Each structure stands twice: as C-alpha cells, then as structure tokens.
Amino acid sequence: MKFSQIKNLLPILWGGSALFLLAILGLWAVGGAVSTREISPSKIIQLKSEASDPSTGFYRLPDMGIKPLLYGGLVSPAQVFILEDHKPLQAAFCSLDQFLKDTGNCYSIHSGRIYFSSSDHSPLRTAGKLYEIAWRWKPGPGLLIASMGLFILMTAVIQRLNPGAPWFLPQAAQWVTSIPNEAWIVAGFLVSYVTFSFLPIFLNTRGEMIQNLMNVPTIHLVGRDHFEIVTDMSRAFLTDEPRFVFKGPYPPFTILFHMLFVPLNPVESFRLIAFMNLAAFVLATLILPLLFNPSRKWHSLLLFFFFTGLFSYGFQFEIERGQFNLIAVFLALASIWIFHRAPKLRWVGYILFTMSVQLKIYPLIFIVNLIDDWRDWKSILKRFGLIGALNVAALFVLGPGSLLQFIGNVTHFTTAITVWIANHSTASFVSLLISNLPETVPAIDPSPIQAFLILIVFACLFLIGYQAYARDHRGLNPALLLGCAATAQLIPSISFDYTLSILPIVLAVVFSGTHKIKPGIISCLLIFILSTAYSVTLFSFEQKSIVAESLFISPIMNITLSSSFPPLFVLMLSAAGLGFLQQNADTEQAE
C-alpha cells in the first residue's frame, strides 16, 4: 500500500476513532449490557460477623471473572445484583470498611470479589437453590482515557500528514483555540464538580441522597492546633519558661507571634485567627493579582478562584484546625510583589519573607521567586545570603534552648511519617499505597519510590528555573510560582490537606497572566488539565472515596482517587509545561 493511499485512509480512521469515543461516552453515561454468572453454593464462603446484630450473615462470593479488566480500569460494574432462584436479593452498596459492621442488606466489592451481608441471615449456601451474580457494566476510566487519547492522536496525525482533508478539522482546531482560557478553567472545574460532588451526593450506588457527606475530618474542639499546640506553648513560655517544651515542628517565631492571643479568651482567640486567615485569603485572591499585573483589568478568574477557594475543603479544614498557612503564604506573596514592583522597598519584602518562613518552614521554597536577573549570580547569592542570615537570626528570638528543641522536633517529624489519606505528602502517599497491597505481594521498601517521585518534583522545578535562565526571564514567573506551591506540599513528610488552602491564592496570581501563554491546542489542553487537577483538590477525600468505591476498583486505585497527592503531582508537571509554553510566547514576542 502506497503512502498516498494511507493518507486517504486517515479521514476514515479519524472518523472511526471519533465514533469509538462517542460510543464509550454513551456507554459511560447510560451503562452497558447486563452480564449474569451462576454461582456454585459450595464456592460461597461465610465470614465471621462483627456486627452487633447476631442475625446478620456475611458472605464472600466467587470472583466475578473480570478482575483483569477491573484492575486495568477498562470495565467498571455500574450496578450489581445477587439473585436467589432468579429473584434479586435487596441490598445496597456499602464500603468495605462498613461491610462487616453493617446490620442491613448490603454488598461491597473488593479486588474483583463481592462481599454480601444479609440482615435476616439468608442461608446463601443452601443446596438446591440457584444463586447468580448479575452486573450492569460500563466503561472504566482507563477505557475512557484510551478512547480520548486515540481521538486526539488521530487528530494530530491527520493534521500533520494530510492537513487538507477533511476540510472541517482546521476549522475545528481554530474553534478550539479561539475558546478563551477562562472557559477551559471553568470546564476543568465542572469535570471535577460532577465527578466528586454531584455524583457521590445524588447519583451514588446507594440509591439515596447523601446529605451528611463529611467534608472535613473534624475534631470536637474546633481550632485544636491553635489552642493545644501553639497558644498553650506561648502561654507556657510566658508563665513558666523552665517547663516550656516544643510540641511541634514550629519555628520559635511562631510561638512569639501567638503570644498575641494569650490575653484573649478561647472564643476571642479563635475568632481572631479565623478572621486573620479570611483577610489573608481575600487580599491574596482579589487584590494581589491586580497588583502583580496592573495593566490588566479586574477579571472573572479572580472571582472563580475566590469563590471556589472560599468554599473548598482545604479552606474549611484550615479554619477548623486553627491553622495559619494562609497568613504565611500571603506574607510570602506580598514580599514577592514588593521585590518585583517596589524595588526601593525590598528590605520590607525581605522582612515579610522572613516572617513567612518563620511561621511555616515550607515558604522558604518561594525564595527562587526573588530573582529579577537570572544571569546576575553574584547579586542572587548576596540576596539569598542576606535572607538566610535573617532567618538564622530569627531562630534565636526565644533563646538557644528553644532553637535546639526546634531542631530536634524538625528531625523527629521528618523521619516520623504520619500515614493518613489526608496527608498528601509523597512519603505518606507511597507508604499508604504499599500498606494496602495484597498480602501475596512481597514486602516493598517505600524509600526508593519516594526518592524517585521527589526527584521528579525537583527536576520539574529545576526545568522551570532553567527555562527562566535560558530566556533571561524578568519579573514574576507564574510557572515558577506554581511549581513552588506544589513542591511545598509534596516534599514535607507531614503535609495535611489544610495546606490545600494556599492553592487558590497562588493560582489567582498565576492565572492573572494567562494572556502571556501562546494560544494553541496544547495550551488549551494544558490549562484544562491544570484546572481539573486544582478543582479535584477542592473536594474532601470522603467525597472522592465514594466515587472510587462506586467504580468497584482495587484499594490501590481507591487511595489514588481519594488522595490529594495525584492532583498536586499533576499540578507540578503542568507547571513545567506552563514554563515551556510561556517561553515560546515570550520568544514570539521578541521576534
């Protein structure tokens, strides 16, 4: 077959990929055919009951026979029935954690196997009765992504090899690139909202509206971190210094800062820290982006990040714990603005930056944004040396004894990893995945995997910095700012989900300069992916876990969908891509 004949087949292949994508989308929306499998009663295993009701029976049914497809993400059972003599036993879907404690009829799916509980102690193993598993399947996320990838690939190939046919492809590409960045950002949010809010609340497999879907892992005492960890430490230092002991990885300046709250009663103290966080959030999302880009008018994206951030899971978690990440990052962003927009007041910016680092250690990564000339290494080293000296001096504000306790606590918390689904650090995520592997898998050391992922994060950050150096970037670098925000959340061993509250204020500044990105299909796709990844972090692991369970996938995939590590990692990769596109745009402008 000649090359010209292959080129003539391209429109047919493209049309086939488009029809395949539409078919997968249709099946994903309505579900596929019903598959039924007969079960031998001898293969049904009765489990030990942990429920308070002794009449409840628990059973493990045989494999559904689609485990390879299930693990590959190609097929997801949308609805399951257990039939006894062709009559369905009424049962609702429940999570595996709830299964052994449920006192009603429910079923759970784990590793391709069905677990069924019966409140009336139905004798599922009775001989002479016919038992069947019936499930309505739908395309899984793997097949959905594969079909979309095939369509995009065929579109790119046909535009490359045969741009004149079919005639509508160039027009379609032009229409896609003409869509404003704001629309792609909203589209990414809608995908995450439908997936992790609308579906688990209204269209879950339990057949009921989940009204009390917990968004934040609350504690009885609201503002616990503010009271028990910080304020009590400040009060102890003021009233009985010999008995003063550090309780967390907080720099001494944090204790000094929270001495402001010691004279207040608990209610007033919590109100003050809550309103300080709220004020920092408002200023950082609505005012700072305009100050960074004074040539641009106030636009809708600021409202988008303001409202999505205001009602986000991370922001609520931040306030509930009485944390102060928003205050620290706001100070860091304010110092960066002063550095780039008010050079005569840079000394004020250095002080604000030092305060930011002394409140929370991780804002130190933002120091690379205090560069105005990437080729002037001497000035950069002097500046970093001065900021470093200020931070070292600030560690002695409560004396050398407090400094030694702080160093000991940092060492302890660096090695003692809190493995929790709400800890989105690289170390916690990898450890959580490995701890949920099947027992048949040999023990795996998480350290090499953690080191590899951390290496990728720093490689992306280095790549962004190298791009800035290569083009001699001047002024604020949005890609570098986003990369620093993602790095600050992925690298520390303890990075709970309340730190997600800083993403809206950083992205409000980043996307205030999206007009600098070169238009094109790749740019549109990147902004859509970036917005989707950010929007996923707006929802709690409880909401995402319900979606994961409804897909009937393995525990590993459940953790992957529920944790905030994957979207943060995608944000890190997107920041590197954003740097490339920004570089191309600057190069075009220079030409």
Side-chain angles (χ1 to χ4, degrees):
M1 184 178 292
K2 297 182 180 180
F3 181 72
S4 59
Q5 294 176 320
I6 297 176
K7 290 177 63 177
N8 292 333
L9 289 175
L10 287 178
I12 300 176
L13 296 176
W14 179 86
S17 66
L19 291 175
F20 180 62
L21 175 60
L22 291 175
I24 295 300
L25 289 173
L27 289 174
W28 183 80
V30 302
V34 175
S35 301
T36 306
R37 178 187 172 194
E38 187 174 327
I39 311 172
S40 171
S42 62
K43 297 282 183 77
I44 300 175
I45 300 175
Q46 186 163 0
L47 304 177
K48 183 180 179 181
S49 173
E50 295 181 8
S52 57
D53 185 358
S55 66
T56 303
F58 297 87
Y59 305 92
R60 187 181 71 190
L61 280 64
D63 193 301
M64 287 189 295
I66 58 171
K67 185 180 291 188
L69 298 177
L70 198 71
Y71 272 91
L74 302 181
V75 171
S76 297
Q79 196 172 17
V80 175
F81 303 94
I82 296 91
L83 295 91
E84 184 181 72
D85 291 335
H86 305 295
K87 297 179 181 179
L89 298 173
Q90 299 296 326
F93 177 80
C94 60
S95 67
L96 192 64
D97 293 336
Q98 299 171 330
F99 170 72
L100 290 177
K101 299 179 181 179
D102 198 285
T103 57
N105 291 358
C106 79
Y107 68 90
S108 178
I109 297 184
H110 182 73
S111 300
R113 194 180 297 276
I114 294 181
Y115 295 81
F116 179 79
S117 69
S118 174
S119 60
D120 58 359
H121 206 71
S122 297
L124 292 185
R125 302 171 64 186
T126 303
K129 289 190 177 181
L130 176 65
Y131 294 100
E132 298 167 287
I133 304 176
W135 65 87
R136 180 183 295 276
W137 60 271
K138 66 178 181 180
L143 192 57
L144 187 62
I145 294 173
S147 61
M148 295 178 67
L150 177 63
F151 175 73
I152 294 172
L153 176 63
M154 292 304 304
T155 302
V157 169
I158 198 172
Q159 286 183 322
R160 181 72 175 175
L161 298 181
N162 196 2
W167 62 269
F168 52 83
L169 277 182
Q171 285 80 356
Q174 185 178 4
W175 175 77
V176 169
T177 55
S178 66
I179 298 176
N181 293 329
E182 289 81 357
W184 292 110
I185 293 173
V186 173
F189 169 76
L190 286 176
V191 169
S192 298
Y193 168 76
V194 171
T195 304
F196 297 115
S197 182
F198 189 79
L199 289 179
I201 294 177
F202 299 103
L203 303 179
N204 56 78
T205 55
R206 303 178 188 180
E208 59 183 10
M209 176 181 173
I210 304 178
Q211 300 180 6
N212 298 320
L213 187 60
M214 185 175 65
N215 292 324
V216 177
T218 57
I219 300 179
H220 176 68
L221 177 66
V222 66
R224 188 197 67 173
D225 290 358
H226 178 68
F227 295 127
E228 295 184 357
I229 299 178
V230 182
T231 306
D232 287 349
M233 294 164 63
S234 300
R235 183 178 293 111
F237 183 87
L238 290 174
T239 58
D240 194 9
E241 185 174 345
R243 296 173 55 189
F244 169 71
V245 177
F246 269 77
K247 297 181 181 179
Y250 298 101
F253 178 79
T254 304
I255 314 304
L256 183 65
F257 169 73
H258 280 81
M259 289 180 186
L260 297 172
F261 302 92
V262 172
L264 304 177
N265 63 55
V267 175
E268 294 174 342
S269 178
F270 177 71
R271 285 179 178 174
L272 180 58
I273 192 67
F275 274 108
M276 289 177 68
N277 274 297
L278 180 61
F281 180 83
V282 172
L283 292 174
T285 52
L286 298 181
I287 305 300
L288 271 182
L290 296 181
L291 298 179
F292 274 111
N293 296 278
S295 60
R296 293 203 75 192
K297 294 182 180 180
W298 199 72
H299 56 92
S300 57
L301 278 184
L302 298 186
L303 283 179
F304 171 81
F305 288 110
F306 174 73
F307 284 111
T308 56
L310 195 63
F311 294 98
S312 68
Y313 154 64
F315 180 81
Q316 295 176 40
F317 200 0
E318 172 89 351
I319 301 301
E320 191 274 339
R321 284 294 193 271
Q323 277 286 332
F324 41 94
N325 294 279
L326 289 169
I327 299 173
V329 175
F330 168 72
L331 293 175
L333 293 177
S335 68
I336 295 171
W337 174 78
I338 292 174
F339 178 84
H340 289 289
R341 297 298 183 183
K344 293 183 179 180
L345 297 175
R346 282 184 175 178
W347 61 273
V348 177
Y350 299 156
I351 294 175
L352 293 179
F353 188 83
T354 300
M355 293 173 61
S356 172
V357 175
Q358 294 302 311
L359 284 175
K360 293 282 187 179
I361 305 171
Y362 67 79
L364 182 62
I365 191 67
F366 289 97
I367 194 173
V368 294
N369 291 275
L370 301 179
I371 298 177
D372 55 350
D373 186 354
W374 287 83
R375 305 294 176 87
D376 189 359
W377 284 101
K378 291 184 178 180
S379 297
I380 294 174
L381 292 176
K382 289 180 180 178
R383 185 179 308 121
F384 286 5
L386 173 61
I387 295 174
L390 286 174
N391 278 275
V392 171
L395 293 174
F396 289 90
V397 292
L398 298 183
S402 299
L403 174 60
L404 293 176
Q405 291 188 42
F406 163 69
I407 295 174
N409 283 350
V410 170
T411 304
H412 168 73
F413 281 97
T414 301
T415 56
I417 302 173
T418 302
V419 181
W420 184 30
I421 191 66
N423 182 4
H424 53 250
S425 69
T426 303
S428 173
F429 177 73
V430 174
S431 299
L432 194 60
L433 285 181
I434 292 178
S435 64
N436 281 271
L437 289 174
E439 296 179 357
T440 55
V441 177
I444 299 177
D445 183 9
S447 301
I449 303 175
Q450 295 167 358
F452 176 71
L453 293 175
I454 290 174
L455 181 63
I456 293 178
V457 172
F458 280 117
C460 290
L461 196 63
F462 173 81
L463 187 61
I464 299 171
Y466 176 77
Q467 294 167 21
Y469 171 80
R471 67 173 183 265
D472 194 19
H473 183 91
R474 302 299 175 98
L476 178 70
N477 188 329
L480 185 61
L481 185 64
L482 177 59
C484 290
T487 303
Q489 302 203 54
L490 293 172
I491 299 304
S493 59
I494 296 179
S495 188
F496 294 139
D497 281 352
Y498 44 64
T499 60
L500 297 173
S501 60
I502 73 171
L503 288 179
I505 66 178
V506 172
L507 285 170
V509 175
V510 169
F511 276 105
S512 64
T514 52
H515 62 293
K516 299 178 182 178
I517 301 176
K518 180 182 178 181
I521 293 181
I522 301 299
S523 301
C524 295
L525 182 62
L526 177 66
I527 292 176
F528 173 76
I529 293 174
L530 200 158
S531 174
T532 304
Y534 157 71
S535 301
V536 170
T537 66
L538 300 175
F539 306 101
S540 73
F541 61 88
E542 292 281 349
Q543 291 170 276
K544 291 182 282 189
S545 178
I546 291 177
V547 176
E549 291 169 356
S550 68
L551 294 176
F552 309 107
I553 50 182
S554 67
I556 301 301
M557 289 301 297
N558 192 319
I559 295 170
T560 303
L561 288 178
S562 302
S563 172
S564 294
F565 172 86
L568 288 171
F569 196 76
V570 171
L571 281 178
M572 188 74 241
L573 298 177
S574 301
L578 188 64
F580 274 114
L581 295 176
Q582 186 174 273
Q583 179 185 15
N584 294 336
D586 292 345
T587 303
E588 271 197 359
Q589 291 174 4
E591 293 174 354

